[in-house]
Amino acid sequence: MNTLLIDADILLYQAASSCENEVEFEEDIWVLWTDENEAVAKFDSMVVHLLEKIDTYSYKLCFSHAKNFRKDLYADYKGNRPTRKPMGFKAIRERVIMENADKVIIYPNLEADDVLGILATSDPNNVIWSIDKDLKQIPGKHLTEEGVIKVSQEEADAFFYRQILTGDATDNYKGCPGIGPVKAEGIIKLASGTGMEWSFILAAYKKAGLSEEEALVQARLARILRSSDWDDETQEVKLWTPTTV
């Protein structure tokens, strides 16, 4: 039986947002309110809907830890994110975690993305659900709007390499200056099958006047962890290192 790995950060945000209500308390004065019970029930119903899509009852709720190892690599990581979360978000999150304790997975210093990546690459029966495009760099099964698709090792690695070059404005890391999606695609296509992807990436960074150390930081920010990047015994990240180094 497949186990559905759910990006619970995103699902919770969607549930909490959908239950916010604005009301004109009196003329020209508006208030925002939410019903915690409604939001928790909405979250639960969304989980059931996802499970029905792949006909399973086995699932894990993957949440982010309060600390993030990428902040130690680059202090401004995700520094451009809006600060306001949906009303009652913290309380709703605590309720969901408490009521689903046997389903919740949180690893120290990791984002939910990383938990998904580690678990998905640990067991081929695991299926990822997330609307975050970054998860395309994880090989394995993914639940999408079109159903379950399989991302190959080659496709996943290519997505990761492209991400090192383009960066990610949403997560506030820059990648290689002057390299957009089209140029990145061309570079990775040239390197494909040679085993020299990092050499091609490094050449682009050096052409832009950046060092290998700067390129490596961008790669480690871009990397969604796989099982090979995580020491389960010590609960520590094994930072990605290119094979050519």
Side-chain angles (χ1 to χ4, degrees):
M1 175 181 291
N2 289 323
T3 294
L4 187 61
L5 308 175
I6 297 173
D7 187 334
D9 284 357
I10 287 177
L11 203 69
L12 186 66
Y13 195 98
Q14 291 176 335
S17 295
S18 71
C19 294
E20 282 190 337
N21 299 276
E22 58 178 31
V23 175
E24 191 174 17
F25 183 67
E26 57 183 63
E27 188 175 358
D28 300 330
I29 298 178
W30 290 80
V31 295
L32 193 66
W33 67 276
T34 195
D35 183 325
E36 181 182 317
N37 292 323
E38 180 187 0
V40 172
K42 179 68 178 238
F43 180 90
D44 291 342
S45 69
M46 293 168 79
V47 169
V48 170
H49 177 68
L50 291 173
L51 295 174
E52 288 173 345
K53 286 190 171 185
I54 64 167
D55 191 25
T56 187
Y57 56 81
S58 177
Y59 67 98
K60 297 294 181 184
L61 299 174
C62 303
F63 283 98
S64 293
H65 188 259
K67 294 184 179 180
N68 187 333
F69 80 93
R70 292 179 181 84
K71 288 278 190 179
D72 294 330
L73 300 175
Y74 180 58
D76 289 332
Y77 178 74
K78 288 192 173 179
N80 58 346
R81 292 288 182 94
T83 56
R84 192 186 88 81
K85 287 184 169 62
M87 180 169 277
F89 186 86
K90 183 178 179 181
I92 297 165
R93 183 180 189 272
E94 289 174 353
R95 274 273 303 276
V96 165
I97 289 175
M98 179 185 67
E99 294 177 8
N100 298 274
D102 61 329
K103 300 294 186 183
V104 169
I105 306 291
I106 302 173
Y107 287 161
N109 300 311
L110 301 191
E111 298 180 64
D113 290 358
D114 299 307
V115 181
L116 293 165
I118 291 166
L119 296 178
T121 51
S122 299
D123 185 341
N125 291 317
N126 288 335
V127 181
I128 289 174
W129 176 85
S130 177
I131 61 172
D132 189 337
K133 65 176 177 57
D134 294 347
L135 269 301
K136 291 179 181 177
Q137 62 170 274
I138 298 298
K141 293 184 283 191
H142 295 248
L143 175 59
T144 70
E145 288 297 324
E146 291 73 40
V148 176
I149 64 168
K150 181 82 176 286
V151 175
S152 70
Q153 183 78 43
E154 293 74 18
E155 291 169 331
D157 289 345
F159 191 97
F160 166 57
Y161 293 136
R162 288 195 298 269
Q163 199 85 336
I164 300 172
L165 290 166
T166 62
D168 190 328
T170 302
D171 289 340
N172 201 39
Y173 65 93
K174 309 303 182 184
C176 184
I179 303 291
V182 175
K183 283 187 178 180
E185 181 71 22
I187 291 169
I188 300 308
K189 277 190 175 180
L190 281 174
S192 180
T194 67
M196 298 177 63
E197 288 86 355
W198 179 247
S199 295
F200 279 72
I201 290 168
L202 194 54
Y205 270 87
K206 289 186 175 179
K207 185 177 180 181
L210 298 178
S211 68
E212 182 172 354
E213 290 73 20
E214 289 169 304
L216 190 55
V217 168
Q218 295 296 303
R220 288 169 171 173
L221 293 173
R223 179 80 168 183
I224 303 300
L225 302 187
R226 305 177 186 181
S227 58
S228 58
D229 304 313
W230 177 247
D231 189 319
D232 199 47
E233 184 175 341
T234 64
Q235 298 279 282
E236 292 179 340
V237 176
K238 294 187 280 187
L239 291 174
W240 182 80
T241 302
T243 55
T244 55
V245 171

